[in-house]
Structure formats: C-alpha cells, structure tokens
Amino acid sequence: MVGTPINGRTRLSFGAVNGGHDLGPSSAPPSNAGSDYGIIEFTREDVEALLNEKAKRKDRFNYKERCENMMDYIKRLKVCIRWFQDLEISYSLEQEKLKSSLELAQQKCTEIELLLKIKEEELNSIIVEMRRNCTSLQEKLVKEESEKTAAAESHLKEREARLNFERSQSTLQEDLGRAQRELQSANQKISSLNDMYKRLQDYITSLQQYNGKLHSELSTVENELKRVEKEKATVLESLTMLKGQLTLSMASQEEATKQKDALASEVTSLRVELQHARDDRDHQLSQAQTLTSELEKSKDSTEKSCSELNKLTLRTNELEAKCALQDERIKVLQEQLTTAEEKLQVCDISASETRIEYEGQQKLVHELQRRLADAENKVIEGEKLRKELHNNILELKGNIRVFCRVRPLLPDEGSSTEGKIISYPTSMEASGRGIELTQNGQKHSFTYDKVFAPDASQEEVFIEISQLVQSALDGYKVCIFAYGQTGSGKTYTMMGRPGHPEEKGLIPRSLEQIFQTKQSQQPQGWKYEMQVSMLEIYNETIRDLLSTNKSSSEGTPTRVENGTPGKQYTIKHDANGNTHVSDLTVVDVQSVKEVAFLLNQAANSRSVGKTQMNEQSSRSHFVFTLRLYGVNESTDQQAQGILNLIDLAGSERLSRSGSTGDRLKETQAINKSLSSLSDVIFALAKKEDHIPFRNSKLTYLLQPCLGGDSKTLMFVNISPDQASAGESLCSLRFASRVNACEIGTPRCHTSGRPVESRLTYF
C-alpha cells in the first residue's frame, strides 16, 4: 500500500522530506548497512524508483523466482532503511551539537546581560554620587558667592562711612579754628563789655540755667554714645549685624553733628549777646572747654571706628581668601566632574559595544534556533518516511500491526504519582511507540507501531487507522480488533460514548469516512453497494444481533433469545479464502444513519453484565462486518473489500471479578476463547505446521485475518491502575507476540470483470 495513492493523497518524495533538496554524497553520511552491497548512498530518484518498483512476473507460477525477487526487494528496502537510520543518527548528533551551542550562546548572553546590568548599576551609582557632589558644590558656591557679595557690600559701606566721618572731623576742626579766632576777637572786646557785666548778671543766671539744661543734654548724649559703643561691640561679635550697627553709629554721629550745629548757632547768638555783655566771656570759655571735650570724645570715637574698620578690613581679607580657596575647590570639583563625564562617556561607549555584542549573540542564537528547527523538521520528515518504509516492509512481511492505548485513571482508582506504573520513553526512536510498565520494582519495556497516552482523543486514534479503513474501499480485507482485560476501554475505543458526538468510537468514524469517500468518488464513476452484518460469540455460540425473530424475555441470554430458535450458525471457509456464516442476517445500507440504527439495535441485543471490575462488562465477542462492492462504469474496474471491526470480551481473573453462576460460565468461556487465540498466536510466531484455529469459534472466525491475506490491526487496551499491573503486563506481552507474527502479504481484490461471489464473510 505504501508508494501508491491513498484516499486521493500521495506520499511525499524523499526530496520533499529533505526540504526540496536531493541528498547527495556531501549531505548524507556513508552507510555501512548491507555488507552485500558495500557503501550505498541514496538519492530522491533512487528512493522513488525503489518505492515505485513493480515485481516482474515472467512466469506467475514460478514462486521461487517471485520469492527471490521479493527477498531481494526486502533486502534493498532494509539497506535504504538502515541508510535512513544512519542519516537520522547524524541529524540527531547535529541537533545535539546545535542544542549545546545554543545553550552555550544563551549562557554567554546571560553572563553578558549580568555584566551589563552590573556595569549599568555601577555607572548609575557613580553618576548619582557625582550629581549629588555637583549639587552640593553648586549650593556651597552660591552660598559663598552670596557671602562674598554681602562682605563686599559691607566693606563698601564701611569705607563710605569712614570717608563721611573724616569729612565731618575736618569740618569740626574748621569750626574750632573759627571759634578760636572769634574768641580772640571776643577777648579784645572784653574790656568794652565789662560795663555791661552787671546788666547781664540776670541774663547770666538764665544762661546758667540754660547751661544746666545743656549739661543734662550732654549727659544724654554721653549715654547715647555708650549705647553706640555697645552696638559697635555687638558688630565685632557678628558680621551680619555690622550694617545695622554702622547705621546706628552714623545716626549718632549725625545727631552729634546736629547738636554741634545747634551749639554753633548758639555761639553765634552769644556773639551777638556778648557785644552787649562783658561777662559772656566766661560762658564762651566754658563753651570752648565743652567743645574741646566733645572734640576729644569725637577723636576717641574716631579711633574706635578706625579700629573697627581695620577689623572689618581684616575680616574682608579673610573672606576674600576663603572665597579664593572656594574658587580653587570649585575648579578642582569641576575638573573632577569633567573627568567623571569623560569616564561616563567611556562607559557609554563600552556599554554600546557590549549591547552590539549582545545583539550579535542574539542573532547567533536566533540563527542556531532556526537551524535547530530545520534539523528537527528534517528529523520529523525522516521519521515519517521511516514509518512509511517500515509499514511497507510490514505489509510485505505480512505482520499484524499493534496499537497500544492506555485509558485514564478512574476517580476511585486515585491519581497519586506514588502508584504510577505506566511511563513513556522520551528517546527519538521510542517516542510515540514505546511504553514501560513497572511491577514489583522491575521495569518492562515494549515497543509497538503506535502508543496512545491517556490524554489521546478518539479523533487522534482514528487518524492513525484512517488509511487502513480506506484500504477496504480499495479492495482489501481489513480487520481491526480490540484486546484487553475487563474495564480497559475496548468498547469505548470501538463504539465510543453514546450521546457524545465528540467521543465517537472507531466504528462510527470509519463508517462516516467510508460514506464520505463513496460520495467523493461518484464523479470518478465509482458506485458502491454496502452490506452490514453483526454477530456476537457468547459462550462459544454464535448469535445474530440483527435477527428480527425474537422470542426473548429479560434475563440471562441464551442462544434462543436472539435469532430464530433452533438455528445453527456454522462457519465455512472456501478455497479462495472467503468465510461464510450460514443463516446470518445481512442488511443493505445506503447511509450512515441506517448503520447507526443497526449499531444501536445490536448494542441493545448484546450480552452485558455487571462484575466487580466493571459495571457494564461485555460478556461476548462482538463482530461488525461491512462488505463493499464497487464498480467503475467508465473503466470497468471492480473492487470487493471487507471491513471487520471486532470488540473482544475482556479477559479477567475469577479472584478479582467475583463471578458466580452464569457469570462464572461466561468468564470461563471468554478466557477459553482468548486462550485459544493466544495458542494460535504462539503457533504463528513459531511458524508451526499446524495452527489450532478450530479450538474456538473466535479463532476459527478470525482465521482469514490471522493466517490469510488480510490487513490486520490489533488494539491492546490496558489499565493504568496499580491493581491491574499483572493483567496489563500479560496483555502487553501478548501484544508483542502478535506484532511479531507474519500472516502473509495482503492482496487487493480487484478485477476487470464481475466478481462471482459478493456475499463472502471474510
């Protein structure tokens, strides 16, 4: 079947598997497989020629030559497969190398990212510290500049006050000289004023009173001068109060100047009065003495002001020196800031270089990931081609294909990982095909054509057998049967769950595919007739599930309840390998709905019962048969195919099932028929001359599937429950023996003229 169009699709060529490129000596590793042929390399044309090669039949009755040609063809296929295995190993090694290089690149990128982050953090901390220092220095600079400006302003004000004081001192000296000159002129006039002395006595008294008043004012002035001295002392303590103290000192000096001006005006008035009074001389002398004392006091205050001015000058010089030091420090900090900025630029450059290197590493990682994905795709395509070639060899050998399906754990069985007995290998060769069962600490490994995990859906399972179902339309005999212990999911696999369309089993889905294909092939000139029959083998008795004659009542099923009372259904095989069941009901069908109705009718008639292992346990072997007869009116081609779908009863141990009475008889009959099936498989595996097909009705009915030209597939259903580990191990071992059996090459039943018998069973 491999290498020929199936269901309107063709298998991909080897060039398509390798991405559209032919494999030459440079792209494929040398293969040492097949020592008879030496080192052989294959191209796409070689593989296509090998797959499309047809047997040369010079003499159709020369079986020896045909066998030799077939063995030679199988040897070449083995060489090709071994070459593909070597190629797959090289791809696996390359994939591992790419993965290791990818991991190294990712690790290097991670280290670079960490170094980059550390450098960025260091640079950020340095920048933050530099900014803090710069901010503090700027604040200090602003503060010192403000202090320097204030000191300069106070120095200017002190200088102006000193100049003003010197000017006032010079005016006082001029006034004193003028007063002395006037005193001399007054002495000259004393003689003329002696006569007026008496008249002026009263006036002198009044002047004395006025003089006392002046003395009191003078004392107040002295107190004011003392207060000014105290304020000057406070100026020495604090520079910030210097401006106010100088202002007060200037105000006091202005008041003294005003007082001096008032005294001068009084002296002027006295001059006028002394012209009339001789005794005014003494008063003028006292006034001169007072003015002299005031002058001395003014000199003392001037000296104090000069000392204070010198101190302020020294303070200003100190502030100027401090400002110069601050300027130098600011320059040093500016240089440090410039150096830090240069370092920051260097770090930015190194960071950009690191970022560029990181981007380059990322591009390298992406390239490695792309190459890894390409390699994985090539490995997957090579695996697909290997499976096709493997299936081709199995068909040529005639092996029975075996699929294994593990059902999920039930709620009452628990889901703890401690009791997990089923595992799946992850290697490339065993992925999807291997299963491991652990019992009593010992691990048992098995490999089949396909293994379905508990999470596999009904649709995924059907996709794997869809091409096998298509073979029935192409004119092949196809047989699919489910084997396993009670409660392992056989009926669910074959029939599905009623009322849940998404969980339909293999039988409903196969019928849907067949009717859809029938509809699609009508434009090509094909017309099909289809017939359905269903039976069960209950207690080694064949029962017709589609019989309309029923005289049954509820209770334990017997042979009379279903089917005509007294009918004996016998199995017969003819010389062409066809099987007939006498008196079996065969119904013509035209649609899926008709078949679904018949399936429902058969399900209601089938023998089921309750045991300790299953609420609804199938107590019989159920056989569904769909016979197809196709005619192509345009090409005069005819095809006769048969699809057999079988749900075997579950094997069980009496100690676990707890069967008694009728259930005990049913269990014994089921185990006997399954034991007979096992004997047949062992005999086929050992290639014995005598195969015990007649030991049970089941094996005799399955004889064309197990020892004829049929395409046969067995589903082995197992339970992941720890309590069922022994039964599951037995089922897996039996499935391995079945997979090793060679039953013959499948034969397509097509011809260019009418087929004589259309009602053969198998």
Side-chain angles (χ1 to χ4, degrees), residues 468-476 478 513-515 517-518 521 526 528 530 628 639-642 750:
L468 197 60
V469 174
Q470 176 65 28
S471 298
L473 282 170
D474 297 336
Y476 287 92
V478 178
Q513 176 179 335
I514 287 174
F515 280 101
T517 307
K518 170 190 172 184
Q521 288 186 354
W526 281 98
Y528 287 93
M530 301 183 186
L628 305 102
Q640 183 180 7
I642 298 176
T750 59

Side-chain angles (χ1 to χ4, degrees), residues 83-210:
W83 183 78
F84 274 110
Q85 289 176 348
D86 295 338
L87 182 63
E88 180 182 356
I89 291 171
S90 65
Y91 282 148
S92 301
L93 294 174
E94 183 179 0
Q95 183 179 5
E96 291 178 357
K97 290 180 181 179
L98 291 174
K99 285 183 179 179
S100 61
S101 60
L102 177 61
E103 291 176 355
L104 292 174
Q106 289 178 347
Q107 185 178 3
K108 189 173 181 181
C109 290
T110 306
E111 293 176 356
I112 292 173
E113 288 179 352
L114 292 175
L115 292 175
L116 183 60
K117 289 181 180 178
I118 293 171
K119 288 184 178 181
E120 286 181 354
E121 291 177 356
E122 292 178 355
L123 291 175
N124 290 330
S125 61
I126 292 172
I127 291 170
V128 171
E129 185 177 359
M130 289 294 183
R131 287 177 178 173
R132 290 177 181 173
N133 293 334
C134 182
T135 305
S136 60
L137 291 174
Q138 288 178 352
E139 292 177 354
K140 289 181 181 179
L141 178 62
V142 171
K143 186 176 180 181
E144 290 176 356
E145 286 180 352
S146 62
E147 291 179 356
K148 183 177 179 181
T149 305
E153 291 177 355
S154 62
H155 180 65
L156 291 174
K157 290 180 180 179
E158 289 175 358
R159 187 176 294 175
E160 290 176 357
R162 184 175 180 182
L163 291 174
N164 292 329
F165 183 76
E166 289 177 354
R167 290 171 184 171
S168 62
Q169 186 177 6
S170 62
T171 54
L172 287 174
Q173 288 177 356
E174 290 176 356
D175 291 338
L176 181 60
R178 194 183 303 110
Q180 288 177 356
R181 287 192 296 273
E182 290 176 353
L183 182 60
Q184 290 176 1
S185 62
N187 287 330
Q188 293 175 0
K189 294 179 180 178
I190 287 174
S191 59
S192 60
L193 294 173
N194 284 331
D195 295 336
M196 298 177 66
Y197 179 74
K198 292 180 180 180
R199 291 181 293 178
L200 294 175
Q201 288 294 329
D202 295 334
Y203 183 71
I204 289 171
T205 303
S206 62
L207 287 175
Q208 288 177 351
Q209 293 176 354
Y210 182 71

Side-chain angles (χ1 to χ4, degrees), residues 717-736:
N717 296 80
I718 63 173
S719 169
D721 185 18
Q722 191 172 12
S724 303
E727 290 84 350
S728 298
L729 182 59
C730 292
S731 298
L732 293 173
R733 286 173 175 170
F734 176 72
S736 296

Side-chain angles (χ1 to χ4, degrees), residues 630-662:
V631 177
N632 192 324
E633 297 177 351
S634 60
T635 61
D636 292 333
Q637 287 183 328
Q638 299 181 8
Q640 183 180 7
I642 298 176
L643 176 63
N644 300 292
L645 303 172
I646 304 171
D647 178 17
L648 299 178
S651 62
E652 58 187 40
R653 295 183 180 179
L654 295 176
S655 58
R656 293 195 62 195
S657 64
S659 301
T660 58
D662 293 334

Side-chain angles (χ1 to χ4, degrees), residues 595-619:
V595 182
F597 174 77
L598 296 176
L599 283 172
N600 188 32
Q601 177 183 343
N604 293 331
S605 302
R606 189 179 179 188
S607 301
V608 295
K610 179 179 180 181
T611 67
Q612 292 182 3
M613 298 180 65
N614 196 357
E615 287 289 335
Q616 288 187 340
S617 176
S618 301
R619 314 307 295 166

